[in-house]
Each structure stands twice: as C-alpha cells, then as structure tokens.
Amino acid sequence: EHTARDTGLRMLVHTPFPPLLLGLHTYFAALLFTLVFVQKHFLLYNVSAVRPSWRWHRWRGYVILVSAVVMAAAGYLMGPYPTFGGFATFSIFFALPWLLWSGSLWWTARTGRVGLHRLLGNMMLKGCVAVPLSRMLTALLQPTWGVGPGYYGGISLASGVILVWQLADLRQFLAGTSEKAS
C-alpha cells in the first residue's frame, strides 16, 4: 500500500512506486502548480505591455510546459503499479489532458491565438485546482467507500465540479467574451 503524505490518500500497489518516478511526478507537479498560479497572478494583477514582463511570461510558460510533460509522463509510467481495476487505462486519461494542454498552449502562443491560448491556460489552471481537490476528496471518501471506489469517487466528484467551471468558460469563449474567462 502507498499512502500519500500530504492527504492520506491510499493506493494499493503490486510493488512500491520507483522512487525516481514518484520523485519526478511529485516535484514537477509542485513546480507546475506553483508556476501556473504565479503566471495567472501576473496576468491578472500586473498586466503590462512592457517587454520584460512578457519575456518572463514566456520563460515561465516554457518551464510550465516542461513540468507538465514530465509530471504527466512520470505519472503515466507509474500506471501499472496500482492494483485498482482498470487503472492502467485510467492513467492514460489522467495524463493525456496535461500533454494536450502543453502542446496546445505552445502552439497557440507561437501562432498568436491569444483567446484560445487564454482558454487553454485556464483549462490547465483548472487542472491544477482539480488535482489537489480530488486528492482531498479521495482521502475523505476512502475510509467509507473503500480504497479503490473512494479513489475513483474523489476524482469523479472533483472532475464534475471542474467540468461545470470549464463549461462556463467555454460558453464565454464561444460567445466571444473570453477576455472575462477566469
């Protein structure tokens, strides 16, 4: 059994996670989540056409994208270790959005699609909210629902909340008011 130190979330595993994969997944996730919120902070509270601020935005963005790819790849590579039914398949769906957001954010930045870039950045931000929320919900549900059902239940509940938030942003984007999307 693997128990997360931050929330008490439990996973039943065949063998312990390789320390290198667990470390890469953990540390790049922490870097990613921190930088996504820093990036959003500077966009909300320090918007400026000053060239150095955009240069820092670009460099933070590169670090965010690399962090998301490393975090997702390490998490995916840990997929075969848990004993939950269907977890290897589930881990694909857990890692895939981070890879898609990373590639799409890079592409929209390079091609000047600012509105779509903003929408995708907001999607990644929501992912950064969803992960700790799902970890906390999972840890709360596991004592009564069981380890596997509580794990999937916590993730499903958090995903449902984030989906509603994302649909509101998507509606604004499609209506042409993505400037107000948060």
Side-chain angles (χ1 to χ4, degrees), residues 15-65:
T15 57
F17 290 121
L20 177 63
L21 288 178
L22 186 58
L24 287 171
H25 182 68
T26 301
Y27 293 114
F28 277 94
L31 180 62
L32 167 70
F33 295 173
T34 302
L35 286 179
V36 165
F37 287 101
V38 167
Q39 190 82 308
K40 186 57 109 174
H41 168 79
F42 280 108
L43 287 172
L44 290 174
Y45 299 108
N46 196 22
V47 174
S48 161
V50 178
R51 201 130 179 80
S53 67
W54 290 112
R55 187 175 307 128
W56 283 110
H57 177 84
R58 183 179 305 122
W59 280 105
R60 275 190 307 270
Y62 288 139
V63 175
I64 286 169
L65 299 181

Side-chain angles (χ1 to χ4, degrees), residues 43-110:
L43 287 172
L44 290 174
Y45 299 108
N46 196 22
V47 174
S48 161
V50 178
R51 201 130 179 80
S53 67
W54 290 112
R55 187 175 307 128
W56 283 110
H57 177 84
R58 183 179 305 122
W59 280 105
R60 275 190 307 270
Y62 288 139
V63 175
I64 286 169
L65 299 181
V66 168
S67 297
V69 169
V70 172
M71 177 201 68
Y76 172 73
L77 291 172
M78 291 189 301
Y81 291 86
T83 60
F84 302 149
F87 192 84
T89 302
F90 174 77
S91 66
I92 293 169
F93 294 107
F94 210 65
L96 192 59
W98 299 100
L99 299 175
L100 293 174
W101 291 329
S102 296
S104 299
L105 281 163
W106 177 84
W107 176 75
T108 55
R110 301 298 295 166

Side-chain angles (χ1 to χ4, degrees), residues 86-153:
F87 192 84
T89 302
F90 174 77
S91 66
I92 293 169
F93 294 107
F94 210 65
L96 192 59
W98 299 100
L99 299 175
L100 293 174
W101 291 329
S102 296
S104 299
L105 281 163
W106 177 84
W107 176 75
T108 55
R110 301 298 295 166
T111 58
R113 291 171 167 79
V114 176
L116 188 55
H117 185 76
R118 185 176 293 116
L119 178 71
L120 291 163
N122 287 339
M123 288 176 153
M124 187 175 272
L125 173 77
K126 289 172 187 67
C128 290
V129 170
V131 170
L133 178 62
S134 67
R135 292 173 65 80
M136 288 184 284
L137 288 171
T138 295
L140 289 171
L141 292 175
Q142 283 181 326
T144 53
W145 289 21
V147 176
Y151 186 88
Y152 289 131

Side-chain angles (χ1 to χ4, degrees), residues 123 126-127 129-131 133 157-167:
M123 288 176 153
K126 289 172 187 67
V129 170
V131 170
L133 178 62
L157 287 171
S159 297
V161 169
I162 299 302
L163 175 63
V164 171
W165 184 13
Q166 184 54 47
L167 289 174

